[in-house]
Amino acid sequence: MLAIDGETKLTGIIGYPLRYTISPAFQNAAFEHLGLNWCYIPLVVEGDALKKAIEGIRALNFAGVNVTIPYKEAVLEYLDELTSTAELVEAVNTILVREGKLIGYNTDGRGFITMLQKDMEFDPKDKRALIVGAGGAARAVAVSLALEGCAEIYILNRTRERAFDLARAICNKFPYCLTQAIDFEADLLNIFNRVDLIVNATPVGTDISTDETPVSPDLLNEGHLVCDLIYSPPETQLLKEAKRVGARAINGVGMLLYQGAASFEIWTDAEAPIEIMRKAIFEALELKER
Ligand code: NAP
């Protein structure tokens, strides 16, 4: 058990609502495993209280915090500095407090890439990817793939304009990566046959009462690596369909784990105990699924 005293270093997660967050479970498991006198708590911030909450982080001497939905973009204006990745993604999921300054990082994309590399032995360099969705997660994934030298990125989204906006932003920042927005009327089979990696960055599949998939399963083939950023349920209908056609399939646990591990390392300067954190995530998810 963590013993909290006057020396305990504070971290946590700012968001709303935080009913289902499992970050406290795996961050505290990591602190405990390494014998660090640190703790990680949920910080529920409602309505227009974000500015005050961020000032509170500074005033209360927090070592840092994570930021989640719906504040990853809104928090930018309250920070003193941004890393180049956070600037590219235009969103922050990790704040480090250093000498009273608030520094914004984005570790979501790094988490996604580490998951591909470590858990799937997939190197995005010179590969072709298709992302379904054009929200915050899609943006972090697209930037990180472009940074890794991905050759082509296709963005498919329910709201066409958002796909075009994201594709334009990636084209402007990474001219060597051919990025194109497509819509559901396009020749999808042709594009799916061209790509190596398919990423679901929409919440479609979260609701287990339906067998909805973000794209038609008929478009999948055995050459694909299909990655669903959803981690609860652990196997969405999309992942089931991917496995059925012989494709490789992975859920979003790895991204959650590695983005959290990167935050942990930014705050503590200690190496994150990955397997301890992974085990704590599985235990927390198991409790949640019950
Ligand atoms: P977001 O910013 O709200 O974006 C959601 C995206 O999904 C938008 O492109 C939206 O399309 C699309 N979408 C929403 N409902 C849809 C529906 N019913 N049909 C088709 N498209 C729909 O959310 P986000 O932060 O990017 O998160 C997206 C997903 O990734 C969530 O499931 C989240 O849990 C997951 N995620 C996982 C991790 C991880 O660590 N594993 C990290 C971040 C996010 P429109 O533009 O048309 O609204």
Side-chain angles (χ1 to χ4, degrees):
M1 267 307 272
L2 291 163
I4 295 181
D5 57 27
E7 300 285 305
T8 305
K9 293 219 166 105
L10 297 175
T11 61
I13 181 164
I14 287 182
Y16 183 84
L18 288 174
R19 214 168 304 129
Y20 301 112
T21 181
I22 55 177
S23 294
F26 74 90
Q27 294 289 1
N28 285 320
F31 294 145
E32 196 173 342
H33 177 75
L34 294 185
L36 297 176
N37 188 2
W38 288 58
C39 97
Y40 185 106
I41 51 176
L43 300 159
V44 178
V45 174
E46 278 188 67
D48 56 3
L50 180 63
K51 184 173 184 217
K52 285 186 194 154
I54 297 298
E55 278 314 311
I57 293 305
R58 202 193 310 258
L60 294 169
N61 259 317
F62 271 67
V65 285
N66 282 133
V67 181
T68 189
I69 290 170
Y71 300 122
K72 285 185 186 184
E73 288 92 14
V75 77
L76 261 69
E77 64 170 301
Y78 305 121
L79 305 179
D80 301 307
E81 282 174 34
L82 293 180
T83 61
S84 55
T85 308
E87 238 170 65
L88 283 168
V89 181
E90 295 171 21
V92 159
N93 77 330
T94 305
I95 300 173
L96 170 69
V97 186
R98 193 166 57 202
E99 290 160 11
K101 274 196 171 171
L102 303 179
I103 307 166
Y105 294 72
N106 192 304
T107 66
D108 281 333
R110 172 66 13 227
F112 172 74
I113 297 293
T114 308
M115 169 187 76
L116 291 183
Q117 293 173 335
K118 287 211 172 147
D119 297 350
M120 299 311 279
E121 293 178 358
F122 180 93
D123 179 0
K125 188 163 170 43
D126 298 329
K127 299 289 196 315
R128 300 177 179 127
L130 182 142
I131 302 168
V132 195
R139 195 177 189 95
V141 165
V143 165
S144 65
L145 286 172
L147 282 169
E148 291 298 311
C150 192
E152 294 176 22
I153 299 178
Y154 299 90
I155 296 164
L156 175 63
N157 191 46
R158 177 179 65 177
T159 309
R160 216 167 156 259
E161 294 69 36
R162 288 188 83 192
F164 277 89
D165 287 348
L166 177 52
R168 204 171 303 119
I170 300 295
C171 283
N172 288 340
K173 287 163 184 164
F174 305 96
Y176 56 81
C177 177
L178 293 173
T179 308
Q180 204 181 316
I182 50 172
D183 59 34
F184 284 89
E185 267 79 65
D187 181 359
L188 289 183
L189 188 60
N190 190 28
I191 296 166
F192 271 70
N193 283 342
R194 207 175 151 72
V195 299
D196 310 284
L197 172 68
I198 293 159
V199 182
N200 176 34
T202 79
V204 178
T206 314
D207 180 358
I208 49 167
S209 65
T210 74
D211 56 5
E212 220 187 338
T213 53
V215 288
S216 164
D218 299 340
L219 296 163
L220 304 175
N221 68 52
E222 78 274 10
H224 289 145
L225 168 57
V226 180
C227 175
D228 201 326
L229 301 190
I230 295 168
Y231 48 80
S232 177
E235 191 170 70
T236 59
Q237 189 63 27
L238 178 71
L239 294 184
K240 285 187 186 135
E241 299 285 356
K243 284 182 181 167
R244 195 178 52 77
V245 300
R248 296 203 299 154
I250 187 165
N251 69 16
V253 164
M255 177 170 172
L256 176 73
L257 165 67
Y258 293 115
Q259 63 77 32
S263 302
F264 179 96
E265 293 182 351
I266 288 165
W267 299 321
T268 63
D269 271 332
E271 192 182 330
I274 295 292
E275 292 316 316
I276 296 294
M277 295 170 101
R278 196 192 301 270
K279 184 166 166 269
I281 290 179
F282 283 129
E283 284 168 1
L285 282 174
E286 231 168 70
L287 279 180
K288 187 170 169 256
E289 301 292 325
R290 265 185 215 158

